[in-house]
């Protein structure tokens, strides 16, 4: 097992002068070298700098520099900063990297090595990021199955079944190897078993946009968390896609979407200073949603400490006081931050 140091405090994201793919999945070499890189949440300004050594195979060699005669204080400090690489592998769709810290297990994907899933250890289950927000969806949709497009390691599914154990979830993920790793390292297989009150996760390995995936009776809600190479999938900037996805909902159903951060294309090369109620226009995914569903889109932006992702919710803006009373206490103030998207014209 290979151990190294990791800094978990927020720092500015720097553009590395070397390809990250070569860092984590270098060509086979008898004497690989150590090189620094950065990890970050998707569309987040929070990252952690690390030094790592992995090959393109699933091998994590032992630390060649074991520490000797550490004081208890030094050992404690090291425990707070060390991490362990569990697996690193190429697939048709992803570069998968999974590593442990003393506090959590993380899944990093694609050449950006953004964090796509987190599994907390100990008593703390909340991630302090946008995954927590998905837990607030069930109280404001009809009874029925909820789909997750972009299942990843299953962070949202873990949280939702923990809070709402009777839920019927259907998770969609295109990468079969990623699902295998999520079962092995993120406890996904436990969610696939029917629990004591009938709740469970059904996993589909397929393209979420496939027309064959339409459930005849419709979904009560669809959570959409689809990224590639650090960006929201380009299809989600198309009005037609949103209309197709909406057709998969039962009456009264809603879409809840991780829309990423500020979109470069939305600025058109100009410095813009929209009002606080209109900053959602900096995000092209929400703009496409607002065009597809005029007057039926709501938005919020995560605070800087939680990545500054934009989130969108379709349908009428719920009564925020009632909604706040129906979710776990740690989310009660968060749901009050949702706002209605004012008309584009």
């Amino acid at each position: 097992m290979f151990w190294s140091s990791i800094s978990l405090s927020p720092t500015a994201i720097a553009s590395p002068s070397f390809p990250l793919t070569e860092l984590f999945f270098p060509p086979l070499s008898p004497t690989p070298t150590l090189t620094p890189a950065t990890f970050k949440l998707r569309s987040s300004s929070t990252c952690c700098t690390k030094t790592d050594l992995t090959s393109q195979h699933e091998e994590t060699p032992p630390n060649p520099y074991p520490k000797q005669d550490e004081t208890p204080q030094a050992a404690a400090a090291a425990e707070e900063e060390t991490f362990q690489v569990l697996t690193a592998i190429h697939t048709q769709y992803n570069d998968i990297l999974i590593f442990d810290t003393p506090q959590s297990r993380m899944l990093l994907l694609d050449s950006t090595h953004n964090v796509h899933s987190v599994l907390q250890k100990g008593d703390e289950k909340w991630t302090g990021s946008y995954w927590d927000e998905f837990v607030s969806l069930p109280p404001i949709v009809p009874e029925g199955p909820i789909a997750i497009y972009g299942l990843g390691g299953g962070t949202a599914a873990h949280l939702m079944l923990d809070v709402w154990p009777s839920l019927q979830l259907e998770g969609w993920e295109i990468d079969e190897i990623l699902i295998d790793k999520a079962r092995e390292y993120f406890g996904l297989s436990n969610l696939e078993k029917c629990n004591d009150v009938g709740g469970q996760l059904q996993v589909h390995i397929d393209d979420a946009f496939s027309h064959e995936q339409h459930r005849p009776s419709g979904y009560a809600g669809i959570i959409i968390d689809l990224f590639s190479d650090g960006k929201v999938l380009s299809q989600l900037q198309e009005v037609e896609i949103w209309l197709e996805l909406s057709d998969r909902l039962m009456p009264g159903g809603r879409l809840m979407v991780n829309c990423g951060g500020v979109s470069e294309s939305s600025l058109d090369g100009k410095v813009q200073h929209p009002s606080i109620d209109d900053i959602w226009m900096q995000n092209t995914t929400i703009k496409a949603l607002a065009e597809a569903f005029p007057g039926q889109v709501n938005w919020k932006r995560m605070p800087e400490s939680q990545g500054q992702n934009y989130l969108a919710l379709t349908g009428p803006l719920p009564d925020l006081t009632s909604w706040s009373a129906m979710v776990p206490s740690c989310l009660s103030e968060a749901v009050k931050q949702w706002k209605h998207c004012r008309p584009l014209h």
Side-chain angles (χ1 to χ4, degrees):
M1 297 297 181
F2 178 76
W3 290 82
S4 185
S5 297
I6 188 167
S7 170
L8 298 179
S9 58
T11 62
I13 296 175
S15 297
S17 58
F18 51 86
L20 289 177
T21 302
E22 292 183 11
L23 162 64
F24 293 106
F25 307 92
L28 285 178
S29 167
T31 55
T33 57
L34 300 179
T35 318
T38 56
F39 294 158
K40 57 184 176 180
L41 289 173
R42 280 176 278 183
S43 303
S44 168
S45 61
T46 302
C47 70
C48 39
T49 303
K50 66 174 282 292
T51 302
D52 182 27
L53 171 63
T54 53
S55 77
Q56 62 184 6
H57 299 290
E58 295 183 82
E59 299 176 356
T60 52
N63 183 358
Y65 305 109
K67 296 182 179 179
Q68 304 292 332
D69 301 322
E70 281 188 319
T71 65
Q73 293 81 3
E79 183 179 4
E80 292 179 357
E81 297 181 349
T82 55
F83 73 97
Q84 178 185 11
V85 176
L86 301 177
T87 185
I89 186 172
H90 285 294
T91 76
Q92 178 182 354
Y93 302 99
N94 290 295
D95 291 337
I96 299 172
L97 179 68
I98 299 174
F99 71 91
D100 260 344
T101 75
Q103 294 79 30
S104 61
R105 178 166 293 178
M106 297 186 186
L107 167 69
L108 282 66
L109 296 179
D110 60 53
S111 60
T112 64
H113 288 95
N114 287 349
V115 178
H116 283 243
S117 293
V118 175
L119 182 64
Q120 301 284 43
K121 299 178 181 179
D123 296 332
E124 179 55 64
K125 65 174 179 283
W126 301 105
T127 66
S129 190
Y130 69 88
W131 296 287
D132 300 347
E133 301 286 331
F134 294 150
V135 176
S136 64
L137 181 61
I140 56 170
V141 297
E143 286 193 21
I146 293 177
I148 302 174
Y149 290 172
L151 182 62
T155 299
H158 272 286
L159 291 170
M160 294 176 74
L161 282 170
D162 184 83
V163 175
W164 315 103
S166 63
L167 282 181
Q168 296 295 316
L169 298 179
E170 295 189 21
W172 298 89
E173 176 58 55
I174 199 169
D175 192 336
E176 183 173 8
I177 295 177
L178 173 55
I179 290 298
D180 289 341
K181 297 303 174 187
R183 287 169 174 153
E184 181 177 358
Y185 293 106
F186 286 86
L188 197 68
S189 56
N190 295 329
L191 304 182
E192 296 177 87
K193 302 172 185 176
C194 188
N195 63 27
D196 293 341
V197 292
Q200 68 179 128
L201 168 69
Q202 181 180 0
V203 175
H204 302 274
I205 301 172
D206 206 343
D207 184 350
F209 294 135
S210 171
H211 294 287
E212 298 177 1
Q213 311 316 329
H214 184 80
R215 171 183 272 265
S217 58
Y219 290 108
I222 303 177
I223 290 169
I224 298 169
D225 190 19
L226 295 170
F227 282 69
S228 179
D229 289 326
K231 299 178 181 178
V232 176
L233 290 189
S234 59
Q235 294 96 316
L236 298 181
Q237 277 79 59
E238 301 172 7
V239 171
E240 294 77 12
I241 284 291
W242 289 115
L243 296 176
E244 291 178 12
L245 294 178
S246 180
D247 286 342
R248 302 181 184 185
L249 295 171
M250 62 177 60
R254 297 176 183 266
L255 307 174
M256 183 176 277
V257 188
N258 175 15
C259 301
V262 173
S263 305
E264 292 181 10
S265 60
S266 71
L267 300 179
D268 296 325
K270 302 175 183 178
V271 177
Q272 299 184 7
H273 301 283
S275 70
I276 190 65
D277 291 328
D278 294 330
I279 61 171
W280 60 269
M281 294 183 184
Q282 296 179 336
N283 185 279
T284 54
T285 302
I286 302 182
K287 289 175 72 174
L289 278 160
E291 186 176 348
F293 313 114
Q296 294 291 305
V297 178
N298 313 286
W299 70 280
K300 69 175 293 184
R301 192 178 189 188
M302 304 296 292
E304 183 175 359
S305 62
Q306 297 181 13
Q308 291 188 303
N309 286 44
Y310 284 92
L311 302 179
L313 174 71
T314 62
L317 182 66
D319 180 280
L320 300 183
T321 301
S322 299
W323 190 12
S324 175
M326 292 188 286
V327 298
S329 58
C330 63
L331 297 177
S332 60
E333 291 302 315
V335 300
K336 294 178 181 178
Q337 297 166 8
W338 283 95
K339 299 179 181 180
H340 182 67
C341 289
R342 300 197 303 191
L344 289 170
H345 304 293

